[in-house]
Amino acid sequence: QVHLLESGGGLVQPGGSLRLSCAASGIIFSIDAMGWYRQALGKERELVARFNAGGSTNYADFVKGRFTISRENAKNTVYLQMNSLQPEDTAVYYCNAVGYSSDFRPFSSWGQGTQVTVSS
């Protein structure tokens, strides 16, 4: 079983920055895709940014130019640097990873979520 542990959320003023981290642990053969989603109160979960199989990235239009996703493959970790945060970025941010465990079974795992609140 693959577990994802997120960290880095918190309260920040508008215009501020936060950096989220997500580390995958378990018996992992490969991680094909890994990234961040968010869910605001009363809304559906939506993609923020992710690495796809092959290494390409996808960003939601609402974060382009403000958020940057990066990774450390050796640590099975992805980061989300969030700059110029606005109140509408307030949400629970979830990490997701898709790949294969060591017994070659596919997995899709979600982290427990980390709250990001942007408020003055």
Side-chain angles (χ1 to χ4, degrees), residues 19-22 33-37 47-52 55-60 63-72 77-83 94-96:
R19 188 189 193 213
L20 305 183
S21 300
C22 173
M34 194 167 179
W36 294 93
Y37 293 73
L47 172 71
V48 176
R50 65 180 280 153
F51 283 102
N52 301 311
S56 63
T57 55
N58 281 354
Y59 287 93
V63 302
K64 286 182 179 178
R66 299 190 299 130
F67 294 7
T68 303
I69 190 170
S70 60
R71 63 184 177 182
E72 288 189 73
T77 299
V78 294
Y79 306 94
L80 185 67
Q81 178 66 43
M82 304 186 293
N83 299 327
Y94 295 92
C95 181
N96 172 257

PDB file of all heavy atoms in Angstrom, residues 19-22 33-37 47-52 55-60 63-72 77-83 94-96:
ATOM      1  N   ARG A  19       4.565  26.741   0.621  1.00  0.00           N
ATOM      2  CA  ARG A  19       5.132  25.614  -0.122  1.00  0.00           C
ATOM      3  C   ARG A  19       4.601  24.325   0.486  1.00  0.00           C
ATOM      4  O   ARG A  19       4.814  24.053   1.672  1.00  0.00           O
ATOM      5  CB  ARG A  19       6.655  25.627  -0.059  1.00  0.00           C
ATOM      6  CG  ARG A  19       7.310  24.596  -0.962  1.00  0.00           C
ATOM      7  CD  ARG A  19       8.785  24.501  -0.686  1.00  0.00           C
ATOM      8  NE  ARG A  19       9.507  23.763  -1.700  1.00  0.00           N
ATOM      9  CZ  ARG A  19      10.578  23.005  -1.455  1.00  0.00           C
ATOM     10  NH1 ARG A  19      11.053  22.902  -0.232  1.00  0.00           N
ATOM     11  NH2 ARG A  19      11.191  22.370  -2.445  1.00  0.00           N
ATOM     12  N   LEU A  20       3.912  23.548  -0.346  1.00  0.00           N
ATOM     13  CA  LEU A  20       3.386  22.261   0.079  1.00  0.00           C
ATOM     14  C   LEU A  20       4.346  21.152  -0.331  1.00  0.00           C
ATOM     15  O   LEU A  20       4.985  21.234  -1.382  1.00  0.00           O
ATOM     16  CB  LEU A  20       2.016  22.005  -0.554  1.00  0.00           C
ATOM     17  CG  LEU A  20       0.941  23.062  -0.341  1.00  0.00           C
ATOM     18  CD1 LEU A  20      -0.367  22.601  -0.991  1.00  0.00           C
ATOM     19  CD2 LEU A  20       0.744  23.378   1.115  1.00  0.00           C
ATOM     20  N   SER A  21       4.394  20.122   0.501  1.00  0.00           N
ATOM     21  CA  SER A  21       5.204  18.950   0.197  1.00  0.00           C
ATOM     22  C   SER A  21       4.349  17.703   0.290  1.00  0.00           C
ATOM     23  O   SER A  21       3.416  17.640   1.092  1.00  0.00           O
ATOM     24  CB  SER A  21       6.368  18.823   1.189  1.00  0.00           C
ATOM     25  OG  SER A  21       7.211  19.943   1.145  1.00  0.00           O
ATOM     26  N   CYS A  22       4.676  16.717  -0.529  1.00  0.00           N
ATOM     27  CA  CYS A  22       3.975  15.434  -0.492  1.00  0.00           C
ATOM     28  C   CYS A  22       4.985  14.335  -0.730  1.00  0.00           C
ATOM     29  O   CYS A  22       5.617  14.290  -1.794  1.00  0.00           O
ATOM     30  CB  CYS A  22       2.878  15.393  -1.542  1.00  0.00           C
ATOM     31  SG  CYS A  22       2.094  13.762  -1.694  1.00  0.00           S
ATOM     32  N   ALA A  33       2.472   9.244 -12.286  1.00  0.00           N
ATOM     33  CA  ALA A  33       1.923  10.590 -12.237  1.00  0.00           C
ATOM     34  C   ALA A  33       1.743  10.986 -10.782  1.00  0.00           C
ATOM     35  O   ALA A  33       1.419  10.146  -9.941  1.00  0.00           O
ATOM     36  CB  ALA A  33       0.587  10.677 -12.966  1.00  0.00           C
ATOM     37  N   MET A  34       1.958  12.262 -10.510  1.00  0.00           N
ATOM     38  CA  MET A  34       1.853  12.727  -9.128  1.00  0.00           C
ATOM     39  C   MET A  34       1.587  14.214  -9.142  1.00  0.00           C
ATOM     40  O   MET A  34       2.203  14.951  -9.939  1.00  0.00           O
ATOM     41  CB  MET A  34       3.138  12.424  -8.359  1.00  0.00           C
ATOM     42  CG  MET A  34       3.044  12.553  -6.857  1.00  0.00           C
ATOM     43  SD  MET A  34       4.502  11.802  -6.085  1.00  0.00           S
ATOM     44  CE  MET A  34       4.158  12.097  -4.358  1.00  0.00           C
ATOM     45  N   GLY A  35       0.689  14.631  -8.297  1.00  0.00           N
ATOM     46  CA  GLY A  35       0.389  16.052  -8.312  1.00  0.00           C
ATOM     47  C   GLY A  35      -0.588  16.475  -7.246  1.00  0.00           C
ATOM     48  O   GLY A  35      -0.837  15.742  -6.286  1.00  0.00           O
ATOM     49  N   TRP A  36      -1.140  17.661  -7.440  1.00  0.00           N
ATOM     50  CA  TRP A  36      -1.963  18.318  -6.439  1.00  0.00           C
ATOM     51  C   TRP A  36      -3.351  18.648  -6.980  1.00  0.00           C
ATOM     52  O   TRP A  36      -3.485  19.113  -8.123  1.00  0.00           O
ATOM     53  CB  TRP A  36      -1.282  19.614  -5.981  1.00  0.00           C
ATOM     54  CG  TRP A  36      -0.005  19.380  -5.249  1.00  0.00           C
ATOM     55  CD1 TRP A  36       1.254  19.355  -5.773  1.00  0.00           C
ATOM     56  CD2 TRP A  36       0.132  19.122  -3.845  1.00  0.00           C
ATOM     57  NE1 TRP A  36       2.166  19.090  -4.784  1.00  0.00           N
ATOM     58  CE2 TRP A  36       1.508  18.946  -3.591  1.00  0.00           C
ATOM     59  CE3 TRP A  36      -0.759  19.028  -2.784  1.00  0.00           C
ATOM     60  CZ2 TRP A  36       2.003  18.682  -2.313  1.00  0.00           C
ATOM     61  CZ3 TRP A  36      -0.267  18.771  -1.519  1.00  0.00           C
ATOM     62  CH2 TRP A  36       1.104  18.605  -1.297  1.00  0.00           C
ATOM     63  N   TYR A  37      -4.330  18.436  -6.123  1.00  0.00           N
ATOM     64  CA  TYR A  37      -5.705  18.821  -6.369  1.00  0.00           C
ATOM     65  C   TYR A  37      -6.160  19.648  -5.172  1.00  0.00           C
ATOM     66  O   TYR A  37      -5.519  19.643  -4.129  1.00  0.00           O
ATOM     67  CB  TYR A  37      -6.594  17.584  -6.521  1.00  0.00           C
ATOM     68  CG  TYR A  37      -6.292  16.764  -7.747  1.00  0.00           C
ATOM     69  CD1 TYR A  37      -5.146  15.982  -7.813  1.00  0.00           C
ATOM     70  CD2 TYR A  37      -7.156  16.767  -8.849  1.00  0.00           C
ATOM     71  CE1 TYR A  37      -4.853  15.243  -8.950  1.00  0.00           C
ATOM     72  CE2 TYR A  37      -6.868  16.017  -9.977  1.00  0.00           C
ATOM     73  CZ  TYR A  37      -5.719  15.264 -10.008  1.00  0.00           C
ATOM     74  OH  TYR A  37      -5.427  14.529 -11.128  1.00  0.00           O
ATOM     75  N   LEU A  47      -8.165  19.792 -10.293  1.00  0.00           N
ATOM     76  CA  LEU A  47      -6.725  19.715 -10.519  1.00  0.00           C
ATOM     77  C   LEU A  47      -6.095  21.080 -10.292  1.00  0.00           C
ATOM     78  O   LEU A  47      -6.612  22.098 -10.739  1.00  0.00           O
ATOM     79  CB  LEU A  47      -6.445  19.252 -11.943  1.00  0.00           C
ATOM     80  CG  LEU A  47      -4.978  19.312 -12.389  1.00  0.00           C
ATOM     81  CD1 LEU A  47      -4.166  18.241 -11.679  1.00  0.00           C
ATOM     82  CD2 LEU A  47      -4.884  19.163 -13.901  1.00  0.00           C
ATOM     83  N   VAL A  48      -4.936  21.062  -9.611  1.00  0.00           N
ATOM     84  CA  VAL A  48      -4.132  22.271  -9.475  1.00  0.00           C
ATOM     85  C   VAL A  48      -2.923  22.159 -10.393  1.00  0.00           C
ATOM     86  O   VAL A  48      -2.711  22.985 -11.270  1.00  0.00           O
ATOM     87  CB  VAL A  48      -3.680  22.486  -8.023  1.00  0.00           C
ATOM     88  CG1 VAL A  48      -2.771  23.706  -7.931  1.00  0.00           C
ATOM     89  CG2 VAL A  48      -4.889  22.635  -7.097  1.00  0.00           C
ATOM     90  N   ALA A  49      -2.119  21.131 -10.177  1.00  0.00           N
ATOM     91  CA  ALA A  49      -0.924  20.920 -11.001  1.00  0.00           C
ATOM     92  C   ALA A  49      -0.472  19.486 -10.820  1.00  0.00           C
ATOM     93  O   ALA A  49      -0.640  18.915  -9.727  1.00  0.00           O
ATOM     94  CB  ALA A  49       0.194  21.878 -10.607  1.00  0.00           C
ATOM     95  N   ARG A  50       0.108  18.910 -11.862  1.00  0.00           N
ATOM     96  CA  ARG A  50       0.579  17.547 -11.739  1.00  0.00           C
ATOM     97  C   ARG A  50       1.654  17.240 -12.754  1.00  0.00           C
ATOM     98  O   ARG A  50       1.716  17.871 -13.810  1.00  0.00           O
ATOM     99  CB  ARG A  50      -0.558  16.541 -11.882  1.00  0.00           C
ATOM    100  CG  ARG A  50      -1.217  16.528 -13.252  1.00  0.00           C
ATOM    101  CD  ARG A  50      -2.339  15.500 -13.298  1.00  0.00           C
ATOM    102  NE  ARG A  50      -1.839  14.152 -13.506  1.00  0.00           N
ATOM    103  CZ  ARG A  50      -2.467  13.054 -13.085  1.00  0.00           C
ATOM    104  NH1 ARG A  50      -3.588  13.137 -12.421  1.00  0.00           N
ATOM    105  NH2 ARG A  50      -1.964  11.872 -13.333  1.00  0.00           N
ATOM    106  N   PHE A  51       2.490  16.278 -12.402  1.00  0.00           N
ATOM    107  CA  PHE A  51       3.407  15.669 -13.349  1.00  0.00           C
ATOM    108  C   PHE A  51       2.701  14.467 -13.960  1.00  0.00           C
ATOM    109  O   PHE A  51       2.135  13.641 -13.251  1.00  0.00           O
ATOM    110  CB  PHE A  51       4.677  15.187 -12.641  1.00  0.00           C
ATOM    111  CG  PHE A  51       5.639  16.280 -12.302  1.00  0.00           C
ATOM    112  CD1 PHE A  51       5.722  16.777 -11.007  1.00  0.00           C
ATOM    113  CD2 PHE A  51       6.473  16.815 -13.266  1.00  0.00           C
ATOM    114  CE1 PHE A  51       6.621  17.781 -10.679  1.00  0.00           C
ATOM    115  CE2 PHE A  51       7.370  17.827 -12.953  1.00  0.00           C
ATOM    116  CZ  PHE A  51       7.439  18.308 -11.652  1.00  0.00           C
ATOM    117  N   ASN A  52       2.785  14.367 -15.273  1.00  0.00           N
ATOM    118  CA  ASN A  52       2.207  13.236 -15.977  1.00  0.00           C
ATOM    119  C   ASN A  52       3.287  12.198 -16.271  1.00  0.00           C
ATOM    120  O   ASN A  52       4.481  12.467 -16.099  1.00  0.00           O
ATOM    121  CB  ASN A  52       1.592  13.710 -17.289  1.00  0.00           C
ATOM    122  CG  ASN A  52       0.521  14.734 -17.065  1.00  0.00           C
ATOM    123  OD1 ASN A  52      -0.373  14.548 -16.242  1.00  0.00           O
ATOM    124  ND2 ASN A  52       0.601  15.851 -17.783  1.00  0.00           N
ATOM    125  N   GLY A  55       6.870  12.916 -17.633  1.00  0.00           N
ATOM    126  CA  GLY A  55       7.473  14.101 -17.051  1.00  0.00           C
ATOM    127  C   GLY A  55       6.849  15.428 -17.413  1.00  0.00           C
ATOM    128  O   GLY A  55       7.263  16.473 -16.905  1.00  0.00           O
ATOM    129  N   SER A  56       5.867  15.422 -18.310  1.00  0.00           N
ATOM    130  CA  SER A  56       5.220  16.690 -18.646  1.00  0.00           C
ATOM    131  C   SER A  56       4.370  17.154 -17.466  1.00  0.00           C
ATOM    132  O   SER A  56       4.050  16.381 -16.572  1.00  0.00           O
ATOM    133  CB  SER A  56       4.354  16.535 -19.884  1.00  0.00           C
ATOM    134  OG  SER A  56       3.311  15.610 -19.649  1.00  0.00           O
ATOM    135  N   THR A  57       4.011  18.427 -17.472  1.00  0.00           N
ATOM    136  CA  THR A  57       3.210  18.981 -16.387  1.00  0.00           C
ATOM    137  C   THR A  57       1.906  19.570 -16.905  1.00  0.00           C
ATOM    138  O   THR A  57       1.827  20.034 -18.049  1.00  0.00           O
ATOM    139  CB  THR A  57       3.987  20.082 -15.633  1.00  0.00           C
ATOM    140  OG1 THR A  57       4.415  21.079 -16.574  1.00  0.00           O
ATOM    141  CG2 THR A  57       5.194  19.506 -14.919  1.00  0.00           C
ATOM    142  N   ASN A  58       0.917  19.523 -16.064  1.00  0.00           N
ATOM    143  CA  ASN A  58      -0.354  20.191 -16.320  1.00  0.00           C
ATOM    144  C   ASN A  58      -0.611  21.181 -15.192  1.00  0.00           C
ATOM    145  O   ASN A  58      -0.427  20.845 -14.022  1.00  0.00           O
ATOM    146  CB  ASN A  58      -1.514  19.197 -16.349  1.00  0.00           C
ATOM    147  CG  ASN A  58      -1.617  18.457 -17.649  1.00  0.00           C
ATOM    148  OD1 ASN A  58      -0.904  18.744 -18.598  1.00  0.00           O
ATOM    149  ND2 ASN A  58      -2.509  17.481 -17.705  1.00  0.00           N
ATOM    150  N   TYR A  59      -1.042  22.357 -15.549  1.00  0.00           N
ATOM    151  CA  TYR A  59      -1.447  23.356 -14.571  1.00  0.00           C
ATOM    152  C   TYR A  59      -2.862  23.809 -14.879  1.00  0.00           C
ATOM    153  O   TYR A  59      -3.234  23.987 -16.035  1.00  0.00           O
ATOM    154  CB  TYR A  59      -0.546  24.594 -14.618  1.00  0.00           C
ATOM    155  CG  TYR A  59       0.833  24.404 -14.038  1.00  0.00           C
ATOM    156  CD1 TYR A  59       1.899  24.030 -14.845  1.00  0.00           C
ATOM    157  CD2 TYR A  59       1.069  24.633 -12.689  1.00  0.00           C
ATOM    158  CE1 TYR A  59       3.176  23.878 -14.317  1.00  0.00           C
ATOM    159  CE2 TYR A  59       2.340  24.492 -12.151  1.00  0.00           C
ATOM    160  CZ  TYR A  59       3.386  24.112 -12.971  1.00  0.00           C
ATOM    161  OH  TYR A  59       4.641  23.970 -12.437  1.00  0.00           O
ATOM    162  N   ALA A  60      -3.623  24.023 -13.820  1.00  0.00           N
ATOM    163  CA  ALA A  60      -4.930  24.644 -14.009  1.00  0.00           C
ATOM    164  C   ALA A  60      -4.717  26.096 -14.436  1.00  0.00           C
ATOM    165  O   ALA A  60      -3.747  26.745 -14.026  1.00  0.00           O
ATOM    166  CB  ALA A  60      -5.723  24.600 -12.708  1.00  0.00           C
ATOM    167  N   VAL A  63      -3.933  28.914 -11.857  1.00  0.00           N
ATOM    168  CA  VAL A  63      -2.685  28.996 -11.089  1.00  0.00           C
ATOM    169  C   VAL A  63      -1.467  29.280 -11.954  1.00  0.00           C
ATOM    170  O   VAL A  63      -0.368  29.467 -11.431  1.00  0.00           O
ATOM    171  CB  VAL A  63      -2.423  27.730 -10.256  1.00  0.00           C
ATOM    172  CG1 VAL A  63      -3.583  27.480  -9.309  1.00  0.00           C
ATOM    173  CG2 VAL A  63      -2.147  26.522 -11.144  1.00  0.00           C
ATOM    174  N   LYS A  64      -1.657  29.334 -13.250  1.00  0.00           N
ATOM    175  CA  LYS A  64      -0.517  29.556 -14.136  1.00  0.00           C
ATOM    176  C   LYS A  64       0.161  30.880 -13.827  1.00  0.00           C
ATOM    177  O   LYS A  64      -0.484  31.911 -13.706  1.00  0.00           O
ATOM    178  CB  LYS A  64      -0.971  29.501 -15.595  1.00  0.00           C
ATOM    179  CG  LYS A  64      -1.264  28.089 -16.077  1.00  0.00           C
ATOM    180  CD  LYS A  64      -1.664  28.071 -17.541  1.00  0.00           C
ATOM    181  CE  LYS A  64      -1.930  26.642 -18.009  1.00  0.00           C
ATOM    182  NZ  LYS A  64      -2.372  26.599 -19.415  1.00  0.00           N
ATOM    183  N   GLY A  65       1.486  30.791 -13.687  1.00  0.00           N
ATOM    184  CA  GLY A  65       2.264  31.978 -13.375  1.00  0.00           C
ATOM    185  C   GLY A  65       2.379  32.254 -11.894  1.00  0.00           C
ATOM    186  O   GLY A  65       3.186  33.093 -11.486  1.00  0.00           O
ATOM    187  N   ARG A  66       1.588  31.565 -11.082  1.00  0.00           N
ATOM    188  CA  ARG A  66       1.636  31.782  -9.627  1.00  0.00           C
ATOM    189  C   ARG A  66       2.157  30.558  -8.882  1.00  0.00           C
ATOM    190  O   ARG A  66       2.865  30.694  -7.891  1.00  0.00           O
ATOM    191  CB  ARG A  66       0.237  32.129  -9.097  1.00  0.00           C
ATOM    192  CG  ARG A  66      -0.355  33.389  -9.691  1.00  0.00           C
ATOM    193  CD  ARG A  66      -1.634  33.785  -8.935  1.00  0.00           C
ATOM    194  NE  ARG A  66      -2.658  32.757  -9.015  1.00  0.00           N
ATOM    195  CZ  ARG A  66      -3.314  32.259  -7.963  1.00  0.00           C
ATOM    196  NH1 ARG A  66      -3.017  32.689  -6.747  1.00  0.00           N
ATOM    197  NH2 ARG A  66      -4.250  31.343  -8.125  1.00  0.00           N
ATOM    198  N   PHE A  67       1.778  29.368  -9.330  1.00  0.00           N
ATOM    199  CA  PHE A  67       2.160  28.128  -8.665  1.00  0.00           C
ATOM    200  C   PHE A  67       3.161  27.371  -9.531  1.00  0.00           C
ATOM    201  O   PHE A  67       3.070  27.391 -10.767  1.00  0.00           O
ATOM    202  CB  PHE A  67       0.948  27.222  -8.446  1.00  0.00           C
ATOM    203  CG  PHE A  67      -0.080  27.742  -7.483  1.00  0.00           C
ATOM    204  CD1 PHE A  67      -0.012  29.004  -6.949  1.00  0.00           C
ATOM    205  CD2 PHE A  67      -1.147  26.922  -7.112  1.00  0.00           C
ATOM    206  CE1 PHE A  67      -0.976  29.473  -6.071  1.00  0.00           C
ATOM    207  CE2 PHE A  67      -2.115  27.370  -6.233  1.00  0.00           C
ATOM    208  CZ  PHE A  67      -2.033  28.646  -5.717  1.00  0.00           C
ATOM    209  N   THR A  68       4.080  26.680  -8.864  1.00  0.00           N
ATOM    210  CA  THR A  68       5.057  25.855  -9.563  1.00  0.00           C
ATOM    211  C   THR A  68       5.167  24.509  -8.886  1.00  0.00           C
ATOM    212  O   THR A  68       5.359  24.439  -7.665  1.00  0.00           O
ATOM    213  CB  THR A  68       6.441  26.525  -9.571  1.00  0.00           C
ATOM    214  OG1 THR A  68       6.349  27.826 -10.168  1.00  0.00           O
ATOM    215  CG2 THR A  68       7.436  25.687 -10.360  1.00  0.00           C
ATOM    216  N   ILE A  69       5.042  23.448  -9.675  1.00  0.00           N
ATOM    217  CA  ILE A  69       5.200  22.102  -9.152  1.00  0.00           C
ATOM    218  C   ILE A  69       6.619  21.629  -9.461  1.00  0.00           C
ATOM    219  O   ILE A  69       7.147  21.897 -10.541  1.00  0.00           O
ATOM    220  CB  ILE A  69       4.138  21.133  -9.735  1.00  0.00           C
ATOM    221  CG1 ILE A  69       4.164  19.801  -9.001  1.00  0.00           C
ATOM    222  CG2 ILE A  69       4.312  20.949 -11.243  1.00  0.00           C
ATOM    223  CD1 ILE A  69       2.993  18.887  -9.350  1.00  0.00           C
ATOM    224  N   SER A  70       7.216  20.955  -8.498  1.00  0.00           N
ATOM    225  CA  SER A  70       8.548  20.393  -8.689  1.00  0.00           C
ATOM    226  C   SER A  70       8.607  19.054  -7.967  1.00  0.00           C
ATOM    227  O   SER A  70       7.673  18.694  -7.244  1.00  0.00           O
ATOM    228  CB  SER A  70       9.632  21.343  -8.153  1.00  0.00           C
ATOM    229  OG  SER A  70       9.451  21.577  -6.769  1.00  0.00           O
ATOM    230  N   ARG A  71       9.701  18.326  -8.171  1.00  0.00           N
ATOM    231  CA  ARG A  71       9.761  17.006  -7.564  1.00  0.00           C
ATOM    232  C   ARG A  71      11.194  16.583  -7.307  1.00  0.00           C
ATOM    233  O   ARG A  71      12.130  17.092  -7.914  1.00  0.00           O
ATOM    234  CB  ARG A  71       9.083  15.978  -8.460  1.00  0.00           C
ATOM    235  CG  ARG A  71       9.774  15.800  -9.825  1.00  0.00           C
ATOM    236  CD  ARG A  71       8.993  14.851 -10.691  1.00  0.00           C
ATOM    237  NE  ARG A  71       9.583  14.719 -12.019  1.00  0.00           N
ATOM    238  CZ  ARG A  71       9.071  13.966 -12.988  1.00  0.00           C
ATOM    239  NH1 ARG A  71       7.972  13.268 -12.766  1.00  0.00           N
ATOM    240  NH2 ARG A  71       9.663  13.897 -14.152  1.00  0.00           N
ATOM    241  N   GLU A  72      11.318  15.637  -6.388  1.00  0.00           N
ATOM    242  CA  GLU A  72      12.573  14.935  -6.140  1.00  0.00           C
ATOM    243  C   GLU A  72      12.269  13.454  -6.323  1.00  0.00           C
ATOM    244  O   GLU A  72      11.699  12.809  -5.426  1.00  0.00           O
ATOM    245  CB  GLU A  72      13.085  15.196  -4.730  1.00  0.00           C
ATOM    246  CG  GLU A  72      13.626  16.586  -4.508  1.00  0.00           C
ATOM    247  CD  GLU A  72      14.314  16.709  -3.156  1.00  0.00           C
ATOM    248  OE1 GLU A  72      15.426  16.161  -2.987  1.00  0.00           O
ATOM    249  OE2 GLU A  72      13.726  17.359  -2.267  1.00  0.00           O
ATOM    250  N   THR A  77       8.887  12.516  -3.877  1.00  0.00           N
ATOM    251  CA  THR A  77       8.290  13.706  -3.274  1.00  0.00           C
ATOM    252  C   THR A  77       8.003  14.756  -4.339  1.00  0.00           C
ATOM    253  O   THR A  77       8.806  14.937  -5.253  1.00  0.00           O
ATOM    254  CB  THR A  77       9.233  14.299  -2.211  1.00  0.00           C
ATOM    255  OG1 THR A  77       9.444  13.332  -1.179  1.00  0.00           O
ATOM    256  CG2 THR A  77       8.649  15.556  -1.594  1.00  0.00           C
ATOM    257  N   VAL A  78       6.852  15.382  -4.205  1.00  0.00           N
ATOM    258  CA  VAL A  78       6.520  16.525  -5.044  1.00  0.00           C
ATOM    259  C   VAL A  78       6.255  17.732  -4.153  1.00  0.00           C
ATOM    260  O   VAL A  78       5.849  17.584  -3.000  1.00  0.00           O
ATOM    261  CB  VAL A  78       5.310  16.289  -5.959  1.00  0.00           C
ATOM    262  CG1 VAL A  78       5.617  15.235  -6.994  1.00  0.00           C
ATOM    263  CG2 VAL A  78       4.076  15.962  -5.160  1.00  0.00           C
ATOM    264  N   TYR A  79       6.504  18.885  -4.719  1.00  0.00           N
ATOM    265  CA  TYR A  79       6.305  20.142  -4.009  1.00  0.00           C
ATOM    266  C   TYR A  79       5.387  21.040  -4.835  1.00  0.00           C
ATOM    267  O   TYR A  79       5.312  20.915  -6.053  1.00  0.00           O
ATOM    268  CB  TYR A  79       7.646  20.853  -3.796  1.00  0.00           C
ATOM    269  CG  TYR A  79       8.685  20.020  -3.121  1.00  0.00           C
ATOM    270  CD1 TYR A  79       9.607  19.301  -3.873  1.00  0.00           C
ATOM    271  CD2 TYR A  79       8.737  19.924  -1.746  1.00  0.00           C
ATOM    272  CE1 TYR A  79      10.570  18.516  -3.264  1.00  0.00           C
ATOM    273  CE2 TYR A  79       9.699  19.138  -1.119  1.00  0.00           C
ATOM    274  CZ  TYR A  79      10.607  18.444  -1.878  1.00  0.00           C
ATOM    275  OH  TYR A  79      11.554  17.666  -1.258  1.00  0.00           O
ATOM    276  N   LEU A  80       4.714  21.928  -4.152  1.00  0.00           N
ATOM    277  CA  LEU A  80       3.916  22.932  -4.825  1.00  0.00           C
ATOM    278  C   LEU A  80       4.253  24.280  -4.203  1.00  0.00           C
ATOM    279  O   LEU A  80       3.893  24.546  -3.051  1.00  0.00           O
ATOM    280  CB  LEU A  80       2.418  22.647  -4.697  1.00  0.00           C
ATOM    281  CG  LEU A  80       1.505  23.581  -5.472  1.00  0.00           C
ATOM    282  CD1 LEU A  80       1.698  23.368  -6.989  1.00  0.00           C
ATOM    283  CD2 LEU A  80       0.047  23.380  -5.099  1.00  0.00           C
ATOM    284  N   GLN A  81       4.988  25.091  -4.938  1.00  0.00           N
ATOM    285  CA  GLN A  81       5.285  26.444  -4.497  1.00  0.00           C
ATOM    286  C   GLN A  81       4.157  27.351  -4.936  1.00  0.00           C
ATOM    287  O   GLN A  81       3.872  27.458  -6.142  1.00  0.00           O
ATOM    288  CB  GLN A  81       6.608  26.933  -5.096  1.00  0.00           C
ATOM    289  CG  GLN A  81       6.969  28.361  -4.721  1.00  0.00           C
ATOM    290  CD  GLN A  81       7.251  28.519  -3.236  1.00  0.00           C
ATOM    291  OE1 GLN A  81       7.914  27.691  -2.629  1.00  0.00           O
ATOM    292  NE2 GLN A  81       6.722  29.597  -2.653  1.00  0.00           N
ATOM    293  N   MET A  82       3.500  27.975  -3.976  1.00  0.00           N
ATOM    294  CA  MET A  82       2.335  28.815  -4.259  1.00  0.00           C
ATOM    295  C   MET A  82       2.675  30.256  -3.904  1.00  0.00           C
ATOM    296  O   MET A  82       2.932  30.565  -2.733  1.00  0.00           O
ATOM    297  CB  MET A  82       1.128  28.337  -3.453  1.00  0.00           C
ATOM    298  CG  MET A  82       0.797  26.868  -3.687  1.00  0.00           C
ATOM    299  SD  MET A  82      -0.731  26.352  -2.873  1.00  0.00           S
ATOM    300  CE  MET A  82      -0.255  26.499  -1.157  1.00  0.00           C
ATOM    301  N   ASN A  83       2.677  31.113  -4.906  1.00  0.00           N
ATOM    302  CA  ASN A  83       2.945  32.533  -4.713  1.00  0.00           C
ATOM    303  C   ASN A  83       1.709  33.355  -5.056  1.00  0.00           C
ATOM    304  O   ASN A  83       0.796  32.864  -5.724  1.00  0.00           O
ATOM    305  CB  ASN A  83       4.124  32.972  -5.584  1.00  0.00           C
ATOM    306  CG  ASN A  83       5.412  32.249  -5.248  1.00  0.00           C
ATOM    307  OD1 ASN A  83       5.668  31.896  -4.093  1.00  0.00           O
ATOM    308  ND2 ASN A  83       6.240  32.013  -6.259  1.00  0.00           N
ATOM    309  N   TYR A  94      -4.971  18.373  -1.788  1.00  0.00           N
ATOM    310  CA  TYR A  94      -4.731  16.934  -1.714  1.00  0.00           C
ATOM    311  C   TYR A  94      -3.641  16.533  -2.703  1.00  0.00           C
ATOM    312  O   TYR A  94      -3.631  16.994  -3.850  1.00  0.00           O
ATOM    313  CB  TYR A  94      -5.993  16.148  -2.058  1.00  0.00           C
ATOM    314  CG  TYR A  94      -7.127  16.322  -1.086  1.00  0.00           C
ATOM    315  CD1 TYR A  94      -8.095  17.302  -1.284  1.00  0.00           C
ATOM    316  CD2 TYR A  94      -7.246  15.481   0.023  1.00  0.00           C
ATOM    317  CE1 TYR A  94      -9.143  17.455  -0.397  1.00  0.00           C
ATOM    318  CE2 TYR A  94      -8.296  15.623   0.913  1.00  0.00           C
ATOM    319  CZ  TYR A  94      -9.238  16.612   0.700  1.00  0.00           C
ATOM    320  OH  TYR A  94     -10.283  16.761   1.581  1.00  0.00           O
ATOM    321  N   CYS A  95      -2.802  15.629  -2.260  1.00  0.00           N
ATOM    322  CA  CYS A  95      -1.797  15.035  -3.130  1.00  0.00           C
ATOM    323  C   CYS A  95      -2.333  13.719  -3.687  1.00  0.00           C
ATOM    324  O   CYS A  95      -3.035  12.980  -2.985  1.00  0.00           O
ATOM    325  CB  CYS A  95      -0.516  14.787  -2.332  1.00  0.00           C
ATOM    326  SG  CYS A  95       0.845  14.083  -3.272  1.00  0.00           S
ATOM    327  N   ASN A  96      -2.017  13.437  -4.928  1.00  0.00           N
ATOM    328  CA  ASN A  96      -2.415  12.188  -5.575  1.00  0.00           C
ATOM    329  C   ASN A  96      -1.220  11.590  -6.303  1.00  0.00           C
ATOM    330  O   ASN A  96      -0.452  12.320  -6.930  1.00  0.00           O
ATOM    331  CB  ASN A  96      -3.552  12.440  -6.564  1.00  0.00           C
ATOM    332  CG  ASN A  96      -3.873  11.223  -7.405  1.00  0.00           C
ATOM    333  OD1 ASN A  96      -3.499  11.143  -8.563  1.00  0.00           O
ATOM    334  ND2 ASN A  96      -4.561  10.266  -6.812  1.00  0.00           N
TER     335      ASN A  96
END
